[in-house]
Amino acid sequence: MPTQTDDDLALLRSSLREFFAEHYRTGDLAECDPTSEHSGTVWKPLTEQLALSGLHIPEDYGGQGYGFEELGVALEESGRVLLRSPFFASTCLAANLLLNIADEPARQDYLPGIASGTVTATVTAGESAGIWSAEPSDVVFDDDSGTLSGTRNAVLDGATADVLIVSARHADGGQVLAVVERDTPGLVVEPLQTLDFSRPQAAVEFDRTRARRLEVPNPVDVLARTYDQAVSCLAAESAGAARACVDMAVDYAKQRIQFGKAIGGFQSIKHTCADLLVEVELSTSAAIAAMQAAGNGDDLTTASSVAKSSVSETFLRVAEANIQIHGGIGFTWEHDAHLYLRRAASAALLLGDAAQHRNRLADRFGTS
């Protein structure tokens, strides 16, 4: 893995910010059909010019070979602009799961395409209010026929992914992981109308759908690690979006003149902006720690839940405050503020809400 300095990370952040400023406009999401496919106008240059989809995938599989710290920077910057792309599902869910298993043929078959961006993928696991279940019951894998049967709702990028990695219950008990390719007969997907225009989801039905069973002796452990990594990635992405809200609010407070002075000079606005910045800094620190734990394995479960419970609540608060500071214009469809509130509300529930993660921490340390 290449060694990165703070200057290298700052350069990565700067390059991504410049790229998004040139190639992506957050406000376009307001006119986007939530059920439509991702726009290739961003994904293609993002993967070809910056190789973002393979940032942390090892070079043996066509990736850049960096680590979770670099991935965290990329997620913060993609969250900052509410990037609508396969990046989260494909790189943070599917690629991580494949890297967590020892099925080398499957790695060789799927990781190079994910790394190059020519193949998009996602993961669908049984859930209990956002927390991935160790005993999925809604989708069943039959060994004799090699098929999946059942339904899943709210699958990230489920309508557009080329490859779906499915956690399913074995017909004889236990859990299996299986891969379904997009055009497989018996796979039915229905795009869903979602609150967050930037995060497409779909209902997926498996009707005796042929699937490739992955050689994974410990699927429960693999799903648990992949889940914790995904939670950490979501926290990093949300931290970037939260910071964008604070920057947006502060910029407006400097420009909006009321009673002969910028509203940022009034104590109520000034103190609110200061408090929001402190919250974002604290939650961003938790997200950075979680991404570091994702890379080095240091108590990832604890770090990811701390980050998720902190960042998701902070993001929702600053997104709401951003609208309030903007006043009337903040409530309009034409302004980007509502797009950040939509993402904040969606991200707060995705992969478990803050209360669930605090309960998870309490259970882990025996204080519930």
Side-chain angles (χ1 to χ4, degrees):
M1 181 186 300
T3 302
Q4 296 291 287
T5 65
D6 288 343
D7 287 343
D8 293 327
L9 295 176
L11 180 60
L12 172 62
R13 187 182 300 278
S14 174
S15 298
L16 286 167
R17 196 164 296 187
E18 289 177 8
F19 173 89
F20 289 131
E22 180 180 351
H23 294 276
Y24 190 79
R25 183 176 175 273
T26 302
D28 290 342
L29 291 170
E31 307 305 323
C32 175
D33 180 356
T35 67
S36 66
E37 294 193 6
H38 294 295
S39 171
T41 57
V42 177
W43 186 239
K44 187 174 181 179
L46 194 63
T47 56
E48 291 182 352
Q49 296 177 25
L50 298 180
L52 195 66
S53 52
L55 186 63
H56 79 306
I57 295 176
E59 293 174 284
D60 289 347
Y61 303 107
Q64 299 301 301
Y66 292 101
F68 278 86
E69 194 168 3
E70 292 80 12
L71 181 60
V73 171
L75 285 162
E76 285 184 48
E77 291 305 308
S78 68
R80 185 180 182 86
V81 297
L82 305 183
L83 179 65
R84 189 179 197 268
S85 82
F87 180 48
F88 186 85
S90 199
T91 300
C92 302
L93 297 183
N96 281 340
L97 187 146
L98 289 166
L99 290 170
N100 288 333
I101 65 175
D103 189 334
E104 189 59 26
R107 284 182 165 195
Q108 294 287 352
D109 287 345
Y110 300 115
L111 282 174
I114 293 174
S116 67
T118 57
V119 172
T120 61
T122 191
V123 174
T124 168
E127 295 185 6
S128 175
I131 304 290
W132 287 5
S133 172
E135 298 180 357
S137 59
D138 48 356
V139 177
V140 178
F141 180 81
D142 182 69
D143 240 347
D144 294 334
S145 62
T147 60
L148 290 168
S149 299
T151 58
R152 285 275 163 79
N153 200 27
V155 178
L156 294 183
D157 293 345
T160 59
D162 300 309
V163 172
L164 285 81
I165 304 176
V166 186
S167 164
R169 178 171 59 85
H170 194 279
D172 297 329
Q175 185 175 179
V176 299
L177 295 173
V179 175
V180 176
E181 298 190 3
R182 184 176 182 180
D183 296 328
T184 304
L187 176 65
V188 180
V189 298
E190 180 182 353
L192 300 174
Q193 291 283 346
T194 56
L195 173 67
D196 180 6
F197 301 155
S198 64
R199 189 93 77 187
Q201 299 181 31
V204 179
E205 179 182 356
F206 304 96
D207 183 9
R208 295 185 59 80
T209 308
R210 292 286 300 178
R212 170 181 175 174
R213 181 175 179 177
L214 296 176
E215 297 300 322
V216 184
N218 55 340
V220 173
D221 292 342
V222 167
L223 259 294
R225 178 163 181 78
T226 304
Y227 172 79
D228 288 339
Q229 290 171 334
V231 169
S232 300
C233 290
L234 180 60
E237 183 188 67
S238 297
R243 187 173 298 276
C245 289
V246 173
D247 291 347
M248 195 185 306
V250 170
D251 287 345
Y252 184 78
K254 291 177 180 178
Q255 298 169 12
R256 177 71 167 92
I257 304 299
Q258 187 69 37
F259 303 112
K261 63 185 293 186
I263 63 172
F266 294 111
Q267 198 172 67
S268 60
I269 300 295
K270 184 188 301 184
H271 287 185
T272 296
C273 289
D275 290 342
L276 294 177
L277 179 59
V278 170
E279 286 195 58
V280 169
E281 289 290 347
L282 289 172
S283 60
T284 299
S285 295
I288 291 172
M291 291 303 290
Q292 291 172 340
N296 59 33
D298 289 346
D299 202 0
L300 174 57
T301 298
T302 298
S304 64
S305 284
V306 168
K308 181 62 164 69
S309 58
S310 172
V311 176
S312 61
E313 290 187 331
T314 294
F315 184 15
L316 194 56
R317 278 195 291 270
V318 299
E320 292 172 344
N322 183 37
I323 291 178
Q324 294 295 326
I325 290 171
H326 275 80
I329 188 66
F331 285 84
T332 64
W333 186 263
E334 291 75 18
H335 199 277
D336 291 351
H338 73 99
L339 300 172
Y340 286 88
L341 181 59
R342 289 170 180 273
R343 169 65 76 88
S346 170
L349 300 177
L350 183 62
L351 300 177
D353 64 20
Q356 289 170 306
H357 280 279
R358 282 193 288 268
N359 288 336
R360 193 171 179 237
L361 289 167
D363 291 341
R364 186 169 177 78
F365 293 103
T367 57
S368 58

